Amino acid sequence: MTTAQPTVPDGMRADVELAQRGRSEMQFLQAMRAGLRPVQARLRTRLEEGSALSSGTEDIARLRAEVDEELAQDADPGLIGAALRWNRSVLTPRAIDAFDERAEDLTSKATAPAAGDITDRGDEAVPRYWRYEFHGTTGGWDGHEHMGFIHHELVYRYLLVPSFPGDIFGQRAAVARLAPRQDYADICDLGCGTGQFTMKLAQTYPEARITGVDLSTSELRYAQRRAAEAGLEWDLHRAPAEDTGLPSEGFDLVASFILLHEMPPHAIRGVFAEALRLLRPGGDLVFSDVAPYRLRSPYQAWYDDWDAENGHEPWWRTAATIDLAEVAREAGFTDVRQEALGKESYPWVTLARKPEQERE
């Protein structure tokens, strides 16, 4: 008996066929996460009926300590944490194995056709934090020649889309539409990855020239493939978002989707400074990222922080506690405002404008 393929979400390929073993392993990992939901719900009920969440979200370290004390004799957090850590540790290797089983067929779908070159600033420009295996992605985003395809078409399809509380691709479209103008000529997407947000920017502003920046060669290659299949041409650059090497004042919109929580504080500030440099006077910034703890419910703030600790997210707490509006002002932006687009304030979007004249 064959198992039905999962529904193909918007923005993903419909013609990705895995061998039975690879498909079964990916579906097992998906089912394992789904199986944790009753345990997670039980844990949430216990916490919300207790007193540990009463201190609120202003001091996340205190909240974590009080919850830890209340759950000291509870086996559920250990069970959930161990299961999620194991799931994440085997996810990338299993996805790579699934790809390699069908490599003869899938390589052609993962490889960009003849297209423009990807500009590369070289390894000397790669920051130290990039070596971290974000999300437990074994080997990092370039741990396989076709990691861009593997991540976008396998990990997203089998794990993230089914388990994520929201429309992953719809959220990107909503953030793209949030930019205040309709007549952008030159747009830069920082941390573009495989082009998920880039594609939404291109669809929202079809007359604009699109530039994508990322540190992963394999992700950029698959972004290149996806753009070509859509009849689009993007200028793609391998470089850190805080030091792109692109010309100053070359863009009228600089945007990013869920990039900042993967960066240490100095790099976050560097990205805002770089965005200001890249923008023409009067140009706009639209950065979305994780929701601040202060806007989450006490349980959700606790779970975000706990899950980040158990999920290879070393700078999540920084992104969820730093005042990005103030960072934007310090960088030189004006007209700074922030907006929540979804449930529990996610995505959380910071919008700002480069002054028509530089401050002296």
Side-chain angles (χ1 to χ4, degrees):
M1 183 178 74
T2 59
T3 305
Q5 285 280 75
T7 301
V8 180
D10 173 46
M12 303 183 74
R13 299 184 66 100
D15 58 349
V16 175
E17 292 283 347
L18 297 181
Q20 176 65 36
R21 175 181 173 183
R23 185 167 64 249
S24 296
E25 288 184 336
M26 298 301 292
Q27 289 172 335
F28 170 75
L29 293 175
Q30 175 188 327
M32 179 183 176
R33 286 205 178 189
L36 289 174
R37 289 172 191 158
V39 186
Q40 292 167 320
R42 183 173 69 209
L43 180 65
R44 178 169 192 162
T45 297
R46 172 172 175 180
L47 284 174
E48 291 182 338
E49 290 176 349
S51 61
L53 300 177
S54 61
S55 62
T57 62
E58 290 300 315
D59 185 342
I60 192 65
R62 177 184 174 186
L63 178 62
R64 286 289 306 275
E66 292 183 356
V67 171
D68 286 349
E69 182 177 354
E70 182 158 315
L71 296 179
Q73 305 303 316
D74 195 315
D76 284 349
L79 171 64
I80 297 168
L84 289 176
R85 287 192 297 273
W86 180 85
N87 190 285
R88 287 163 174 147
S89 71
V90 301
L91 173 58
T92 309
R94 295 290 76 76
I96 289 173
D97 288 347
F99 177 90
D100 288 344
E101 280 187 291
R102 293 293 307 277
E104 185 175 346
D105 298 317
L106 295 182
T107 297
S108 64
K109 304 178 191 301
T111 306
D117 292 335
I118 296 172
T119 304
D120 193 338
R121 288 206 61 201
D123 289 342
E124 65 275 7
V126 176
R128 184 174 63 178
Y129 69 78
W130 176 248
R131 310 299 180 189
Y132 190 81
E133 293 183 347
F134 302 98
H135 310 293
T137 302
T138 306
W141 297 127
D142 284 321
H144 186 281
E145 180 184 3
H146 298 299
M147 186 67 88
F149 178 93
I150 291 166
H151 183 240
H152 184 91
E153 302 295 347
L154 303 187
V155 173
Y156 259 72
R157 177 178 303 187
Y158 284 92
L159 210 66
L160 295 187
V161 170
S163 63
F164 190 83
D167 180 353
I168 288 178
F169 300 103
Q171 288 174 341
R172 286 162 169 79
V175 172
R177 292 192 299 268
L178 202 59
R181 289 167 44 192
Q182 297 297 317
D183 60 344
Y184 296 110
D186 298 282
I187 299 174
C188 183
D189 179 11
L190 298 176
C192 67
T194 58
Q196 296 178 48
F197 182 49
T198 325
M199 189 67 73
K200 299 305 181 184
L201 289 167
Q203 293 168 350
T204 306
Y205 310 102
E207 302 302 318
R209 179 179 65 90
I210 304 289
T211 297
V213 176
D214 203 90
L215 277 165
S216 169
T217 301
S218 62
E219 301 273 314
L220 288 169
R221 285 175 181 158
Y222 196 53
Q224 187 182 55
R225 166 79 191 215
R226 298 182 64 230
E229 288 187 337
L232 302 171
E233 292 185 10
W234 297 337
D235 297 325
L236 299 177
H237 298 263
R238 179 179 178 251
E242 66 271 32
D243 185 18
T244 65
L246 295 169
S248 297
E249 299 189 355
F251 302 92
D252 40 24
L253 174 63
V254 174
S256 74
F257 190 91
I258 317 301
L259 167 68
L260 302 178
H261 75 281
E262 310 286 26
M263 313 177 83
H266 73 276
I268 291 175
R269 291 183 170 85
V271 170
F272 278 86
E274 180 71 350
L276 189 80
R277 185 186 71 81
L278 292 174
L279 283 168
R280 299 175 183 125
D284 293 312
L285 173 141
V286 178
F287 281 178
S288 70
D289 216 85
V290 301
Y293 288 151
R294 70 180 188 278
L295 300 180
R296 303 288 261 179
S297 66
Y299 171 81
Q300 196 61 59
W302 169 80
Y303 187 82
D304 285 354
D305 199 75
W306 177 88
D307 189 55
E309 183 179 308
N310 285 274
H312 300 265
E313 295 278 13
W315 296 292
W316 185 294
R317 182 182 288 189
T318 295
T321 54
I322 194 172
D323 185 345
L324 293 178
E326 183 60 27
V327 172
R329 295 187 188 98
E330 289 174 355
F333 284 98
T334 59
D335 301 327
V336 180
R337 64 185 179 89
Q338 294 180 299
E339 185 169 335
L341 287 187
K343 183 179 180 181
E344 292 250 16
S345 302
Y346 176 86
W348 178 245
V349 189
T350 300
L351 303 100
R353 176 160 291 171
K354 181 173 180 174
E356 291 288 350
Q357 293 185 335
E358 294 276 8
R359 294 184 301 187
E360 301 200 3

